[in-house]
Structures are given as C-alpha cells and as structure tokens.
Amino acid sequence: MSNLSVLVVGASVAGPTTAYWLAKAGAKVTIIERFPQMRSSGQNVDIRTSGVSVMRNMPGMEEAVRANTLPVKGISLVRENGRPYGTIRPTGDANQQSLISEYEILRGDLARILFNLTKNHKNIEYVFGEQVSSLQQNEQSNGPVSVEFMNGYPATEYDLVIACDGATSRTRAMGLGCGTRDYIHSLNSWVVFFSIKKDLLNGGQIGEAYSTPGGRFICMGSDPFGITRVAMMGINPRNAHDAAKPFREAKKLGTNALKEYVAQYFHGAGWKCDEVIKGMLDADDFYGSEMVQVKPPILHKGRFVLVGDAGYASGPTGTGTSLALTGAYILAGEIRKHRGNVLAALRGYEEQMRPFVNEMQKIPAFIPGILAPQTAWGLWLRNAIFAFICWSGIPTLLQKFFGASSAHSDDYEIPEYEWED
C-alpha cells in the first residue's frame, strides 16, 4: 500500500481533502493545479451533514473553519423599499442546520485551510501551474495510467488518477473518453459572485436578499473588513429550453462581456441594484458560473476516478462541499480497506457514494420557483407565505422542505475505516 502512487488533479476543496485521506491510507500523492498558486477567491460555501462528520475526523480542521466563518447571523428577504418581511437565522445546532449554516466560509479560505493541513506531509507534493495534456491506460492489463503534462512536469505513470477539477472538468473528458459537456445537466440558471469595497449594509450582520420578477435574485452580506460580498442570480424554470445559453456565450467573451451581460439583465430591477451593478463593474474578484449538476453513469473507469464536482456537482442544493469532503474520505477509506486491489476499492467507492450523491442532488420540486418567482403575482404570493411562516415562529417547518441542505447529520452516517498513524 505504501507504494501506491496517485495523481490528484485540482487543488481546491476536493483535491487537498482527497490527498489528506489518501496519505492516511499510505499512498504517495501528487496534486497538480493549473493556477500558479492556491486561489483565494470564491463564493461562500457551507459544510453540512456528512461533511461535518468528515471535518471532525480531520484534527484541527473544525477549529480552523470556525475561526474563519463569515459573521452572518441570518438573512432577511427585503421588499423593493428595503424593508424586511422575514428573516432566516442559524439554528445554533451544527448537526441540524437551517438554510444558514454554522459553517459558512469562503471557498478560498476553506481551500487554504486544507492546503495548510496537507502541504508539509511527506507523502504529498503540490505542483502549481500545471495541467494534464493526456491520459493513457490499458484497462485490459490493469496497468498504471500514463500521464503527460502541458507545462514541463515530466511524464509519469500513476497507479490511480483522480479528477477533482470541478464541474467542467477537462480531466473527466480524458478519463472517461467523453465530451467536455457530457453528463453536465444545465439547470437553466446562473450565478455571479464578487465583492464591493464598501459596506452596503452599514455594519449589519444580517444579510439581505431581494427578488424581482423574471427570476432575478440578489443576496449580499458584510464581512468584518467593511466589504460587501454579493451573489447575483438569473434563475429560470428548469424546463426552460437552454435559457442559460446567453450567459454561456457572454462568458466565452471574457470577464468584461459577462459583467455587461449581468448589468443589462438586472437593469431597472429596483432596490439597491444600481449601486450593486456599479460595484460589480469595478470588482476585481468577479466570477460567474452556470448552475449545473453533473451525473455521469459511472464514477470510475479503469484506474481513473471522479471526486467532488467533477463527478457529482449538486447544483443549488447547498451540499456540494459536503459531497466533496465525503467522497474524498470514502475513496481513501475504500483504498485502505482493499489494500493492493485498486479496482475493488473503486467499486467499493462507487457503491458507498451513490446513496449520498442520489440524496444530496435532489432538488425540491418548488425550487427554483420559491427562490426567484418569474411573475409579480408569484413573487407577491411567495413573500406573503414566507412572511407568515417567519411571523408564526415556526421557520423550522420550512427547513424540512429543503431536503439534504437542512437534514440532520445523523441521517448521513459515514463508514468507519482503519487508518495509518
């Protein structure tokens, strides 16, 4: 087991977590990342359900996450005049979270924490500024995977190659022999993230969210440094025909073109939209992506395997980070369990992960309609129902309708494995 050589592609959340657990299983791991250094930007992410259990099994991680969580004490849905009509708050119970997580953290901060937990391990090597150019494996002989790289890292054979490079993974296409958009299921919606170097909430620790007809949705929150972090979404019915195509086309043209597209999309939306649009056009950390789920028929082929968004991006369910943490843990655990038999380990990984994936990818039937109604009537009805629920004091009732994102951690029990010291 100590001779198992593994290549992990991608150094965001799934990659370092996978490396951590593989090292505990006795493997030697190389992580490559196409960017020249760890990325510090990214949207808010939550750690929930089985992800909490995995985090608590990594010494020092929970403490580091808590030290870097965002100071969000809730989120208020507001009318066009800025007056709130309902507020969602954390439950205070990390095992039974509301739509507001006890572990809400910036993706860049989480990646940095995981990098710090792994960077000095004797069996883990990071290589930045590198990408895979080709993968070759002979599945009939069950031999190693031959990998060539784009930017000078020497061609190497690995016992296992793991794609952790996101929903639009190029490595997935190479490893499974498919197209780059195969198995990507568009949800006809998109989201952009950025920060404004101004506190639009005047120091408040309650975030604000605003909807307007046409599926336009804005959410913002302050951080301790006087910066407002913003998410803007264009949400369409799931049966809309390729409604996210204009967003994809704008993104292909570059950041400025995408900013202009979003500015036009939200033009005249009311509330603080004009101020937010101005801040977006000046933002230097702007990032946008289409909302998708990834659903390949298999998670592994030969000695190639998918972990995290590359294999099972969850879309708007709020469970993507937890699935990535869980997948990393289970893959390494199965490799440890099936010592020396990589193919049996990969079969065990797929068998163990499928129930987690199937459950955490479930999108409630009334999502996205309740988040961003398409009509003024639908918006009025949503606001009235939400205001009543918050006024009644039973917002926990609402949580039951949001599936895995607000489920109890005990509902997603992770397997136990034996690890090396």
Side-chain angles (χ1 to χ4, degrees):
M1 184 64 204
S2 59
N3 294 324
L4 188 75
S5 62
V6 182
L7 176 68
V8 174
V9 182
S12 185
V13 173
T17 310
T18 302
Y20 175 93
W21 289 107
L22 283 170
K24 285 184 71 65
K28 183 175 176 58
V29 186
T30 301
I31 304 178
I32 65 167
E33 168 58 50
R34 66 188 179 96
F35 288 92
Q37 59 190 11
M38 290 296 295
R39 286 175 284 172
S40 59
S41 60
Q43 71 273 29
N44 303 4
V45 296
D46 301 334
I47 301 174
R48 301 173 179 272
T49 60
S50 57
V52 175
S53 300
V54 174
M55 174 179 66
R56 288 173 175 169
N57 278 284
M58 300 174 69
M61 182 174 172
E62 184 175 16
E63 294 81 358
V65 168
R66 285 193 178 277
N68 288 273
T69 52
L70 296 170
V72 178
K73 294 185 177 180
I75 186 166
S76 292
L77 271 73
V78 301
R79 297 182 174 87
E80 187 169 355
N81 61 10
R83 294 184 61 184
Y85 55 88
T87 300
I88 304 173
R89 299 179 185 272
T91 63
D93 180 0
N95 295 316
Q96 179 69 71
Q97 300 182 44
S98 73
L99 298 180
I100 307 299
S101 173
E102 269 64 27
Y103 300 107
E104 185 166 343
I105 184 172
L106 294 174
R107 178 180 289 276
D109 288 341
L110 181 57
R112 173 178 51 79
I113 289 168
L114 291 164
F115 175 66
N116 289 338
L117 286 173
T118 54
K119 65 180 180 181
N120 295 322
H121 196 288
K122 64 180 181 179
N123 285 339
I124 299 175
E125 176 191 9
Y126 279 87
V127 179
F128 290 98
E130 191 55 274
Q131 300 181 64
V132 172
S133 61
S134 71
L135 295 173
Q136 300 292 330
Q137 63 173 323
N138 187 331
E139 294 178 51
Q140 293 181 343
S141 67
N142 188 27
V145 185
S146 299
V147 183
E148 295 182 344
F149 300 91
M150 289 186 181
N151 300 321
Y153 194 77
T156 310
E157 289 188 339
Y158 296 93
D159 297 310
L160 179 63
V161 175
I162 306 173
C164 298
D165 49 342
T168 56
S169 168
R170 291 177 60 256
T171 319
R172 178 181 63 231
M174 291 185 228
L176 296 186
C178 62
T180 55
R181 284 195 65 86
D182 287 357
Y183 316 129
I184 293 179
H185 295 251
S186 174
L187 300 175
N188 290 316
S189 302
W190 50 262
V191 58
V192 298
F193 304 95
F194 55 93
S195 58
I196 300 174
K197 296 176 182 177
K198 178 180 179 182
D199 186 358
L200 299 184
L201 299 178
N202 301 315
Q205 292 185 325
I206 301 292
E208 294 183 355
Y210 171 72
S211 296
T212 189
R216 295 175 290 182
F217 180 83
I218 297 181
C219 182
M220 64 173 69
S222 296
D223 71 13
F225 308 104
I227 292 175
T228 304
R229 301 194 180 273
V230 182
M232 302 175 76
M233 304 181 192
I235 301 175
N236 298 287
R238 274 186 277 167
N239 60 0
H241 177 65
D242 209 9
K245 184 177 180 180
F247 176 87
R248 290 199 300 272
E249 295 299 323
K251 187 175 181 179
K252 289 178 183 177
L253 298 176
T255 298
N256 289 335
L258 188 57
K259 284 183 177 181
E260 289 295 335
Y261 173 80
V262 175
Q264 289 297 319
Y265 196 90
F266 277 87
H267 178 71
W271 188 50
K272 300 178 181 178
C273 287
D274 289 345
E275 192 171 8
V276 170
I277 289 170
K278 183 178 183 300
M280 177 193 69
L281 294 173
D282 295 333
D284 56 10
D285 60 350
F286 177 90
Y287 171 77
S289 63
E290 183 180 0
M291 291 187 193
V292 301
Q293 290 190 322
V294 174
K295 297 184 176 184
I298 54 174
L299 295 178
H300 68 95
K301 183 178 181 182
R303 288 173 173 261
F304 173 81
V305 65
L306 306 170
V307 172
D309 283 355
Y312 30 80
S314 63
T317 66
T319 58
T321 300
S322 296
L323 272 175
L325 294 173
T326 305
Y329 170 87
I330 290 178
L331 173 61
E334 291 296 312
I335 286 175
R336 174 67 176 167
K337 177 180 175 181
H338 298 275
R339 297 174 180 83
N341 191 337
V342 174
L343 298 187
L346 296 183
R347 289 192 294 269
Y349 163 70
E350 179 126 18
E351 181 180 343
Q352 291 283 353
M353 274 305 294
R354 277 299 174 189
F356 288 95
V357 173
N358 292 342
E359 189 63 27
M360 292 192 195
Q361 281 191 333
K362 287 181 180 178
I363 302 175
F366 49 85
I367 297 293
I370 196 171
L371 184 64
Q374 299 296 309
T375 66
W377 161 247
L379 182 60
W380 179 89
L381 181 63
R382 190 282 307 270
N383 293 353
I385 293 172
F386 187 80
F388 171 76
I389 290 173
C390 290
W391 169 83
S392 69
I394 54 171
T396 53
L397 182 64
L398 184 65
Q399 293 165 212
K400 295 181 180 180
F401 293 99
F402 285 86
S405 65
S406 55
H408 197 284
S409 294
D410 291 346
D411 295 337
Y412 295 86
E413 186 175 353
I414 60 175
E416 292 187 7
Y417 298 105
E418 295 181 0
W419 303 98
E420 293 190 3
D421 293 335

